[in-house]
Amino acid sequence: MRTKQLYPGINNSQKIRVILNGVGIYTTVAATQSIFATTDHRVAVEFSLSEISKQMGAINGYASRWNGSLDLQVDLL
């Protein structure tokens, strides 16, 4: 049975690059559900992916400062 897309317009197997406070991680969209140890990191990445999916085609990445201390960048590869 097919797994539902986590974010409309982005495949779960889509490769992404996540940079958190200068540390880069290459992973897939589906792996973001279990790879991060802290809730802050996971929620920030989920928010970024949802923003990318809302504007799919117009943007391929998202960068922001989360809670004033977490620098975040997410790019579709």
Side-chain angles (χ1 to χ4, degrees), residues 18-76:
V18 178
I19 302 173
L20 291 166
N21 290 337
V23 178
I25 303 166
Y26 289 89
T27 187
T28 62
V29 171
T32 60
Q33 301 297 309
S34 61
I35 196 169
F36 299 108
T38 67
T39 303
D40 243 7
H41 292 165
R42 187 171 42 258
V43 169
V45 171
E46 287 176 0
F47 176 78
S48 299
L49 287 169
S50 70
E51 288 297 311
I52 292 171
S53 73
K54 286 179 191 174
Q55 301 177 23
M56 196 63 187
I59 61 173
N60 289 327
Y62 185 85
S64 72
R65 179 160 290 197
W66 188 261
N67 287 345
S69 63
L70 178 67
D71 290 325
L72 171 72
Q73 179 179 339
V74 177
D75 299 310
L76 300 178

